[in-house]
Amino acid sequence: MGSPPYSVLKQNYITLRIVIFIFLICIINRNNLSSNHPLVTGTVSAHLGSSTIPSLESLNLDGHLSFKDIDYAANDFGNRYHFLPSVVLYPKSVSDISSTIKHVFKMGITTELTVAARGHGHSVEGQAQAHNGVVIDMESLWGPEMQFHTGELPYVDVSGGELWINILHESLQHGLTPKSWTDYLHLTVGGTLSNAGISGQAFRHGPQINNVYQLEVVTGRGEVITCSEKQNADLFYGVLGGLGQFGIITRARIALEPAPRMVKWIKVLYSDFSTFSKDQEHLISLENSFDYIEGFVIINRTGFLNNWRSSFNPKDPVQASQFNSDGRTLFGLEIAKYFNPDETIIMNQKVDSLLSALSCIQSTLFLSEVSYVDFLDRVHVSELKLREKGLWEIPHPWLNLLVPKSRIHEFAEVVFGNILTDTSNGPILIYPVNKSKWNNRTSMVTPEEDVFYLVAFLSSAMPSSEGTDALEYILTLHKRILDFCETAHLGMKQYLPHYCTQEEWRAHFGPQWEVFVRRKSTYDPLAILTPGQRIFQKATTFSR
């Protein structure tokens, strides 16, 4: 019997793709989109089918699988969700990851086994956990060492499990540095690129996902695919900001630029939000501005200027000593200018010129000069201090929002004027970025305005507390903030999103939702990958 004609094969292939797409939509419409997990305080575990474990053990791997001492894979920085996997894969090659996912994919709908990539464990909502599934420890991934290209457009090829702090140190050996950062550098490349990677450089260079030339990705089918703007572009843009739904990033080509050696680091306060936001928006609009711009909120606190003195010098010590916050709500501006030692005079002139245009409280102007590395790795210093006090591995119910510029004053008035009464539970960041620096082809969604603000409530909850630093109290405040944003129709988007219903996820992605679902059906049709995001569930319902 002869082979069917090409037209028939093509038609069958198209039909199959349509069936898979409808198949996935059915999952979503049956409320399997998010599992509505309640707050989990203990480690959840259950027994998988007896055929699953031996099946995995049969894999020929360069690394190894571990079924013991895997409790850490049920923990993360958020310290709120604890779902125990059945096994942890310690890959030594990309082939290990590919073989494992391909094996699970071939099991089809007969198993509930899922796979999650875990970087440095800094998720806050259990996103890198896989209940009864396989967690891939990405930091154990071996591969070619960092490969630097120092030509006209310099870049570095790195493992998806590499920490940004290591990339910083290695790139500086070549006089180079990545362009865009997060505030905390002890995170993996794959982790931040699956979200966005935002910090005070984003107004100029965009987030980290805008500074990537190429990716190597293992899809939910187990396929290893190299992708870029010109090669497999749909997967490339889908994975960037894709919350781990379409593939695991195993290698990335990161854009670099010449590295400075020093940083002029400045902090100053405002008593009026309108003035504060106007100055921030002015600074991010300039062609030659500061290199780093972030803002923060201080509510009902006193004596905090004394804390600055350990690292900063007041421009006017007498006036600074006379400043009294009186428990007011204040807004801080944190800015930095990069330079090399031989540029000090020119840099100081430029900084003075930029500062002269600001309407801040002059008596609160504090300055410091530090190395580029010390500036970028500043949060790690705080981490070490908190670890010494046992205050690092506690619940961190963070809430990150992107608020349109046109509604930020209304947001500030309600949230900082009525909902929040203090900021003693952790920093509150607030700063604007330029949407023009964000590529709208990625999976990351932002408000529909040219300028929007990141507002990050980086709270820490004290165990066993029943006061204002209790977990439930903080979560209640966050819910009030979210309810206000929804009721007022602010057009806000969550960064590092966490939703519990189909309607919320659909509203979050808006017009991109259908594209997101199509990419899922193409690259992870059985919903194997990253179940902890709770967007899609493994397609087991079709066997019932």
Side-chain angles (χ1 to χ4, degrees):
M1 188 177 195
S3 300
Y6 173 75
S7 59
V8 174
L9 289 174
K10 182 176 180 182
Q11 183 62 44
N12 288 342
Y13 174 74
I14 294 173
T15 302
L16 179 60
R17 289 291 300 275
I18 293 173
V19 169
I20 291 175
F21 182 79
I22 296 173
F23 198 55
L24 190 57
I25 289 292
C26 289
I27 302 176
I28 299 167
N29 289 336
R30 291 185 62 173
N31 288 326
N32 287 322
L33 201 139
S34 40
S35 45
N36 284 312
H37 289 307
L39 175 66
V40 180
T41 57
T43 300
V44 178
S45 62
H47 180 66
L48 280 177
S50 59
S51 63
T52 300
I53 302 305
S55 175
L56 286 172
E57 288 182 315
S58 68
L59 293 174
N60 183 19
L61 303 172
D62 298 314
H64 69 281
L65 296 164
S66 179
F67 304 93
K68 298 179 180 179
D69 301 322
I70 60 175
D71 287 1
Y72 80 95
N75 298 315
D76 58 26
F77 182 70
N79 204 20
R80 293 175 55 210
Y81 295 90
H82 305 279
F83 293 102
L84 190 67
S86 290
V87 59
V88 172
L89 169 66
Y90 296 89
K92 296 303 179 189
S93 65
V94 175
S95 176
D96 286 352
I97 299 174
S98 172
S99 297
T100 301
I101 296 177
K102 189 174 296 185
H103 186 82
V104 175
F105 179 74
K106 288 181 178 179
M107 289 180 177
I109 60 176
T110 63
T111 176
E112 295 185 6
L113 204 62
T114 55
V115 179
R118 174 190 169 90
H120 206 56
H122 207 73
S123 297
V124 294
E125 302 279 357
Q127 290 96 332
Q129 297 176 28
H131 184 214
N132 282 337
V134 181
V135 168
I136 302 175
D137 191 316
M138 294 299 293
E139 288 191 86
S140 72
L141 177 62
W142 285 6
E145 295 184 356
M146 296 185 206
Q147 298 177 352
F148 288 86
H149 174 80
T150 58
E152 184 176 347
L153 293 175
Y155 62 79
V156 58
D157 286 327
V158 298
S159 166
E162 191 63 78
L163 297 181
W164 285 98
I165 183 64
N166 296 335
I167 298 173
L168 172 62
H169 288 302
E170 289 293 324
S171 62
L172 288 177
Q173 299 297 316
H174 299 268
L176 298 169
T177 177
K179 300 177 180 180
S180 192
W181 298 96
T182 55
D183 285 327
Y184 181 62
L185 304 190
H186 295 250
L187 305 172
T188 58
V189 169
T192 65
L193 295 185
S194 294
N195 290 283
I198 307 175
S199 185
Q201 303 89 358
F203 78 95
R204 168 169 290 177
H205 297 293
Q208 290 181 319
I209 58 174
N210 266 49
N211 295 278
V212 181
Y213 293 142
Q214 182 176 287
L215 297 172
E216 179 185 72
V217 174
V218 180
T219 71
R221 300 173 181 269
E223 301 169 323
V224 181
I225 299 177
T226 298
C227 53
S228 65
E229 182 181 9
K230 297 180 179 180
Q231 180 183 8
N232 300 308
D234 184 64
L235 179 61
F236 178 70
Y237 289 117
V239 167
L240 294 173
L243 306 177
Q245 293 304 300
F246 315 124
I248 294 175
I249 297 172
T250 53
R251 201 150 183 84
R253 179 166 291 176
I254 309 297
L256 303 175
E257 66 178 359
R261 292 171 56 188
M262 299 294 294
V263 174
K264 187 82 166 186
W265 190 6
I266 303 164
K267 289 186 178 182
V268 69
L269 293 177
Y270 292 77
S271 59
D272 174 70
F273 182 79
S274 295
T275 306
F276 165 71
S277 59
K278 180 180 179 181
D279 277 0
Q280 279 193 309
E281 291 166 15
H282 166 70
L283 288 176
I284 72 165
S285 71
L286 299 176
E287 186 70 27
N288 187 10
S289 184
F290 290 99
D291 297 294
Y292 167 97
I293 299 172
E294 287 195 5
F296 54 95
V297 184
I298 301 172
I299 302 175
N300 195 25
R301 293 172 62 188
T302 58
F304 53 86
L305 284 189
N306 290 329
N307 296 330
W308 290 7
R309 293 177 187 271
S310 61
S311 304
F312 295 81
N313 296 314
K315 185 174 183 180
D316 189 327
V318 175
Q319 287 193 29
S321 65
Q322 296 173 350
F323 176 78
N324 189 344
S325 65
D326 296 323
R328 292 174 291 168
T329 297
L330 297 167
F331 304 94
L333 183 61
E334 185 174 18
I335 45 185
K337 190 69 175 176
Y338 305 157
F339 68 101
N340 290 313
D342 60 349
E343 304 166 334
T344 301
I345 295 177
I346 296 176
M347 179 276 300
N348 282 329
Q349 292 174 345
K350 180 60 181 177
V351 166
D352 288 343
S353 174
L354 289 169
L355 290 176
S356 67
L358 303 182
S359 301
C360 55
I361 303 173
Q362 290 296 322
S363 62
T364 65
L365 181 59
F366 280 65
L367 307 95
S368 178
E369 290 186 10
V370 297
S371 73
Y372 183 62
V373 172
D374 286 345
F375 173 73
L376 291 179
D377 200 29
R378 62 199 178 280
V379 176
H380 186 55
V381 176
S382 299
E383 174 190 353
L384 295 177
K385 292 179 181 178
L386 291 172
R387 285 189 181 276
E388 287 180 3
K389 299 177 181 179
L391 297 177
W392 184 256
E393 295 179 352
I394 60 177
H396 295 95
W398 286 8
L399 177 65
N400 294 270
L401 309 177
L402 304 175
V403 181
K405 169 188 169 182
S406 66
R407 308 300 296 276
I408 194 64
H409 293 271
E410 180 182 355
F411 178 92
E413 181 179 359
V414 173
V415 174
F416 306 136
N418 297 326
I419 297 178
L420 296 180
T421 58
D422 64 60
T423 52
S424 60
N425 295 327
I428 296 178
L429 306 182
I430 179 167
Y431 56 91
V433 294
N434 295 309
K435 188 180 177 70
S436 62
K437 304 297 183 179
W438 295 58
N439 193 316
N440 60 12
R441 297 178 65 183
T442 70
S443 291
M444 175 70 186
V445 290
T446 63
E448 294 298 323
E449 289 191 9
D450 293 339
V451 173
F452 56 88
Y453 279 74
L454 171 72
V455 188
F457 302 89
L458 308 181
S459 304
S460 298
M462 297 302 297
S464 303
S465 172
E466 296 182 357
T468 57
D469 57 356
L471 177 60
E472 289 301 327
Y473 182 86
I474 295 171
L475 292 176
T476 299
L477 287 179
H478 289 179
K479 185 177 186 305
R480 288 180 61 191
I481 293 170
L482 291 172
D483 287 346
F484 159 67
C485 291
E486 181 178 357
T487 302
H489 303 290
L490 294 187
M492 174 273 296
K493 297 292 183 182
Q494 283 194 37
Y495 175 54
L496 309 177
H498 175 72
Y499 297 105
C500 295
T501 68
Q502 173 186 350
E503 292 76 17
E504 288 172 318
W505 279 111
R506 187 184 297 272
H508 171 75
F509 285 105
Q512 291 192 39
W513 175 244
E514 291 186 4
V515 174
F516 198 83
V517 172
R518 176 189 60 75
R519 284 171 170 164
K520 186 70 171 178
S521 71
T522 301
Y523 304 112
D524 184 24
L526 297 186
I528 292 169
L529 300 177
T530 321
Q533 292 284 4
R534 295 184 282 280
I535 304 174
F536 307 98
Q537 272 196 318
K538 184 82 163 60
T540 57
T541 52
F542 299 103
S543 62
R544 297 172 183 171

